[in-house]
Amino acid sequence: MLHSFKTRKVKIGLMAIKLDLQKAYDKVNWKFIQSVLSRFGFRDIFISWITACLSSVSFEVIVNGGKSEQFKPSRGLRQGDPLSSYLFILGQEVLSRILDHELAANNISGFKASIRSPAITHVMYADDIMLFAKVNKKEAVNINQCIKKYCSWSSQQLNRGKSGVFFSKNTPSQSRRLVKSVLHMKSPKKDAIYLGAPLHLSNSPSKDFKFLLDKLESRLSGWRSKCLSWAGRSTLIKSVAQAIPNYTLSSFNVPNIICDKMDAITRRFWWKPKEKEGKYLAWKAWDKLCQPIKNGGLGFRKVKDFNTALLSKLAWMIASKRDSLCMQILRSKYKVKSD
């Protein structure tokens, strides 16, 4: 969608709004969750079970080395609880339907990645929310009202300081200032990230994806001081180190130099985990270790090979006529014909 901001020529101008909810899980109103479950058709006994799960939690605070008395909260969902994600998403469905209602009433026009693609007003992944609209005062005011309505119902609160709005390249500067004043938001930083992937790409891809190296190195540095066995290091590499860049690898063709450096960092941690720099002895080629276990390897993955596999999977989903909103947008944007 954001790539289309750079390529499509729209005279009016387009905007994307990245929302940041303050302590999203902690502020959810329990009565709001009960009302949402009731509207979705869940039975009263089931709703009472959910309420009991939410209200049974209690907290103790350690002050100067001593525990305070127990106290119970009156709102919020516990992060890490498997139930919380489902309840939060059901709550977010309310905001989604408010926006869809405004789209049907022509109060918000949304944004099309191409002429034939469906109009998109919002993209959500839990509390990571992006809204799309045309740049004018009417749509900015309507979006503001949608957000306020949802926040008043759910007790959520929008952090306008951390939220941001950015525009397509042909948007007049006067229109940008008007929309920012209505939304009370600024433009986000150039290195803004959404779901582990950069929102804006510069002319230097190696700089754009350098954050992957920093994230991997910071995670490995915490393990260097620990006495890990070979099996322990193998498990950490497979389940954590090589899982960190998954979101980015599934949507971008990451430069070879970044992939090679990530392989080098992981390789050093495998052979010499205690030291960050200096020479080390590798008893077996990395290519051999990246073979499946049944072929004599350890099942490690080369970052570039995994990147290619994920992008190929996406290409196959488009070519095999899989039906979903994402596939419809990609087919229309890149003019993939039925044959």
Side-chain angles (χ1 to χ4, degrees), residues 38 64 90 114 124 193 215 253 281 298 305:
S38 178
N64 296 331
L90 283 171
S114 64
M124 294 181 181
I193 288 176
K215 195 182 288 187
N253 187 17
L281 179 62
L298 290 175
D305 289 350

Side-chain angles (χ1 to χ4, degrees), residues 44-327:
D44 291 341
I45 188 170
F46 180 82
I47 296 173
S48 67
W49 294 341
I50 296 296
T51 306
C53 290
L54 295 175
S55 59
S56 61
V57 65
S58 63
F59 295 106
E60 292 178 348
V61 180
I62 297 176
V63 182
N64 296 331
K67 289 184 180 179
S68 69
E69 293 182 4
Q70 283 191 356
F71 61 93
K72 291 191 174 184
S74 58
R75 66 169 70 181
L77 302 172
R78 281 171 286 179
Q79 291 196 50
D81 184 344
L83 186 64
S84 297
S85 301
Y86 293 103
L87 295 175
F88 189 84
I89 290 168
L90 283 171
Q92 290 291 79
E93 181 67 18
V94 174
L95 175 59
S96 179
R97 294 192 179 195
I98 291 172
L99 293 167
D100 287 340
H101 181 267
E102 292 297 307
L103 177 65
N106 292 323
N107 294 325
I108 299 173
S109 56
F111 167 56
K112 294 184 176 183
S114 64
I115 295 173
R116 295 183 180 180
S117 73
I120 301 297
T121 55
H122 61 282
V123 177
M124 294 181 181
Y125 187 88
D127 59 336
D128 289 311
I129 306 168
M130 294 275 288
L131 307 180
F132 299 96
K134 289 183 178 177
V135 179
N136 57 57
K137 186 176 180 180
K138 176 192 169 186
E139 298 209 9
V141 169
N142 287 330
I143 284 175
N144 232 354
Q145 289 175 347
C146 291
I147 295 169
K148 286 181 179 178
K149 185 187 291 185
Y150 171 70
C151 288
S152 66
W153 290 351
S154 65
S155 298
Q156 295 280 13
Q157 193 171 348
L158 185 65
N159 188 342
R160 295 184 184 270
K162 288 186 177 180
S163 301
V165 56
F166 36 94
F167 306 90
S168 58
K169 62 179 182 179
N170 295 326
T171 307
S173 56
Q174 185 177 355
S175 300
R176 297 185 187 208
R177 287 194 295 271
L178 175 64
V179 167
K180 286 179 182 178
S181 64
V182 171
L183 296 173
H184 302 289
M185 294 179 190
K186 299 179 180 179
S187 297
K189 295 179 181 178
K190 291 184 178 180
D191 58 349
I193 288 176
Y194 181 75
L195 295 181
L199 285 173
H200 305 284
L201 294 179
S202 66
N203 295 327
S204 176
S206 57
K207 288 183 180 179
D208 294 332
F209 295 100
K210 185 179 179 293
F211 73 94
L212 291 175
L213 297 174
D214 299 336
K215 195 182 288 187
L216 178 61
E217 188 56 60
S218 65
R219 184 60 64 92
L220 292 179
S221 63
W223 299 340
R224 292 190 194 280
S225 59
K226 298 178 181 178
C227 297
L228 296 169
S229 64
W230 290 101
R233 289 207 295 278
S234 173
T235 302
L236 284 173
I237 288 171
K238 290 177 186 176
S239 61
V240 182
Q242 295 190 332
I244 287 172
N246 279 2
Y247 277 125
T248 310
L249 295 178
S250 61
S251 50
F252 289 97
N253 187 17
V254 179
N256 289 341
I257 188 170
I258 298 293
C259 295
D260 292 342
K261 285 182 179 178
M262 291 180 74
D263 282 337
I265 292 170
T266 308
R267 191 162 59 239
R268 167 175 285 281
F269 177 75
W270 172 249
W271 291 116
K272 201 167 187 178
K274 296 279 185 180
E275 296 179 17
K276 187 178 177 181
E277 297 176 351
K279 295 181 179 181
Y280 63 92
L281 179 62
W283 293 96
K284 202 166 187 178
W286 187 246
D287 289 345
K288 298 287 186 182
L289 297 180
C290 290
Q291 293 290 326
I293 294 174
K294 64 180 181 181
N295 294 343
L298 290 175
F300 295 152
R301 292 194 299 248
K302 283 188 174 180
V303 176
K304 191 60 193 177
D305 289 350
F306 192 53
N307 185 200
T308 306
L310 289 172
L311 295 180
S312 301
K313 179 183 176 183
L314 188 63
W316 173 248
M317 288 165 71
I318 297 169
S320 61
K321 302 180 182 179
R322 184 172 296 193
D323 187 27
S324 70
L325 180 61
C326 178
M327 295 301 110

